[in-house]
Amino acid sequence: MDKFRMIFQFFQSNQESFMNGICGIMALASTQMYSAFDFNCPCLPHYNLVYGLGILLVPPFILFLLGFVLNNNISMLAEEWRRPQGQRGKDPAVLRYMFCSMAQRAMIAPAVWVSVTLLDGKCITCAFCTSVPVETLGNASHPRLSQGEVQRVLARIPCKEIYNGQQLIANEVAVRYLRCISQALGWCFVLLMTTLAFLVRSLRPCFSQAAFLKSRYWSHYIDIERKLFDETCAEHARSFAKVCIQQFFESMSTDLVASHCHLPRKAPADAGEAAEKLLGITDRGAMNMALKSWHRCKPPLHLHPPALPTGNGWAGEGQPPTHPSAPRRETAAYYSWV
């Protein structure tokens, strides 16, 4: 249990670790789905190709879209791409980094599905059974069979129980031939994906490491800023609801006192704290305006010290800046009797 707890804490440490864990779970789920899938080839000409290629390509596309859906950054990317310019410019490099990062993680589960499907060989056997070279592997001089009849016989190769063309080509020979081709394609696909991943991981820092670090930093910043904004909005909503409820009950107690029902009144201890968390936004229209302003013109990414208010206005208006006095140095003398 301690190991599972440590793994779970690692997945929750940051957004990338969490998404890597989700992609790993999806990859394992894709293999389990394929193992539990009941593959039934129709064993009919022109239908075998559609069914085999459909099983090979359609589930990876669904898993790819599901990888985007489960990624929390897809909404953040769409929001950052579609928001107005405002006071903060949009960096295309950051948007490209976010999209590529999500696409790389979303491709893991489809790649696993395609690899497992090709190594198993059922889809290729079903899709291309009518393309078996009968002249090389079988008896091409089988009499009284037209081209259409030969296609119908070959289409039944995946269905061993109804196959009736042993005189034309042996079922085991055709299945073994197609399965060998499928496994070769599967291993080539695995090698290609591994090589591409290696090149992306190893060669990317050699060319644009500085740009990559900047894009990664600002991508993390956008994610953290969105989380903090959601937490601030939730805290403001909680404080707003608390103050509204407290005012409601205070008005009810006032009405009861006016109706000669003497009730003990006790000032809430956290009323002042909840009012402070409202930050002066105590109206629905003002809150809606603040949310629209955040979407339309986010503040620029430039930190500056806030101006300090004085008795007649703001500090720094028409007055030279005052520097704080240097701290007074104190010395201590120690005397000892010898």
Side-chain angles (χ1 to χ4, degrees):
M1 290 299 296
D2 295 336
K3 293 182 179 180
F4 286 107
R5 189 180 297 109
M6 292 176 60
I7 294 174
F8 186 72
Q9 290 176 357
F10 172 75
F11 285 158
Q12 286 186 329
S13 60
N14 53 52
Q15 182 70 13
E16 288 192 356
S17 300
F18 176 75
M19 290 313 305
N20 290 335
I22 292 295
C23 293
I25 293 174
M26 287 184 58
L28 294 176
S30 65
T31 57
Q32 294 296 325
M33 288 170 57
Y34 183 79
S35 61
F37 177 70
D38 188 12
F39 188 89
N40 292 314
C41 186
C43 296
L44 294 173
H46 308 295
Y47 289 94
N48 289 3
L49 181 64
V50 176
Y51 182 82
L53 294 182
I55 298 300
L56 179 64
L57 300 177
V58 173
F61 179 73
I62 297 174
L63 292 173
F64 181 74
L65 295 181
L66 188 60
F68 271 100
V69 171
L70 294 180
N71 199 318
N72 296 329
N73 292 337
I74 184 64
S75 58
M76 182 177 64
L77 175 62
E79 179 183 353
E80 183 69 15
W81 179 49
R82 293 294 300 172
R83 72 172 176 85
Q85 189 75 12
Q87 299 180 6
R88 182 190 303 179
K90 293 182 286 187
D91 192 354
V94 177
L95 299 179
R96 286 195 301 268
Y97 170 81
M98 294 169 60
F99 178 80
C100 293
S101 178
M102 288 186 293
Q104 290 174 7
R105 291 183 175 88
M107 282 294 295
I108 296 177
V112 171
W113 178 277
V114 173
S115 302
V116 173
T117 305
L118 290 176
L119 292 175
D120 185 58
K122 292 180 182 178
C123 290
I124 298 299
T125 303
C126 179
F128 298 100
C129 58
T130 56
S131 301
V132 175
V134 182
E135 297 81 2
T136 306
L137 302 177
N139 183 15
S141 61
H142 192 274
R144 299 175 184 177
L145 282 180
S146 62
Q147 186 65 27
E149 293 175 347
V150 170
Q151 293 293 319
R152 282 193 295 269
V153 171
L154 294 178
R156 297 176 183 177
I157 289 177
C159 305
K160 188 176 181 179
E161 62 277 1
I162 62 174
Y163 182 68
N164 57 354
Q166 292 292 341
Q167 296 81 8
L168 182 64
I169 183 174
N171 182 270
E172 293 80 5
V173 174
V175 171
R176 187 180 294 260
Y177 172 78
L178 294 173
R179 185 167 294 178
C180 290
I181 295 177
S182 179
Q183 290 179 352
L185 293 175
W187 285 116
C188 291
F189 180 79
V190 172
L191 179 61
L192 177 62
M193 292 292 103
T194 306
T195 305
L196 289 178
F198 171 75
L199 292 177
V200 169
R201 288 289 185 179
S202 60
L203 297 182
R204 181 173 57 184
C206 299
F207 296 98
S208 59
Q209 181 66 9
F212 170 73
L213 290 177
K214 290 189 292 185
S215 302
R216 184 176 183 180
Y217 175 84
W218 291 116
S219 174
H220 290 331
Y221 174 83
I222 293 173
D223 182 31
I224 295 173
E225 183 186 52
R226 184 186 184 188
K227 290 180 180 178
L228 291 177
F229 184 78
D230 292 340
E231 293 176 0
T232 305
C233 290
E235 185 177 359
H236 185 277
R238 189 179 297 107
S239 303
F240 191 84
K242 184 182 293 184
V243 173
C244 286
I245 293 173
Q246 289 173 353
Q247 291 181 357
F248 170 75
F249 280 100
E250 287 177 359
S251 63
M252 290 295 297
S253 62
T254 304
D255 295 340
L256 291 176
V257 169
S259 302
H260 307 288
C261 297
H262 300 283
L263 297 176
R265 298 185 61 185
K266 183 179 180 181
D270 55 348
E273 181 182 358
E276 290 180 358
K277 292 182 180 180
L278 294 177
L279 302 175
I281 303 178
T282 58
D283 183 59
R284 180 176 182 177
M287 190 64 202
N288 291 338
M289 186 181 300
L291 296 176
K292 291 180 181 179
S293 177
W294 175 263
H295 173 69
R296 292 177 180 176
C297 50
K298 289 186 177 181
L301 299 177
H302 174 69
L303 301 180
H304 55 84
L308 299 177
T310 60
N312 297 326
W314 294 95
E317 296 181 359
Q319 299 178 0
T322 59
H323 300 280
S325 59
R328 187 177 63 180
R329 180 178 300 175
E330 297 182 357
T331 59
Y334 297 92
Y335 300 92
S336 62
W337 295 90
V338 180

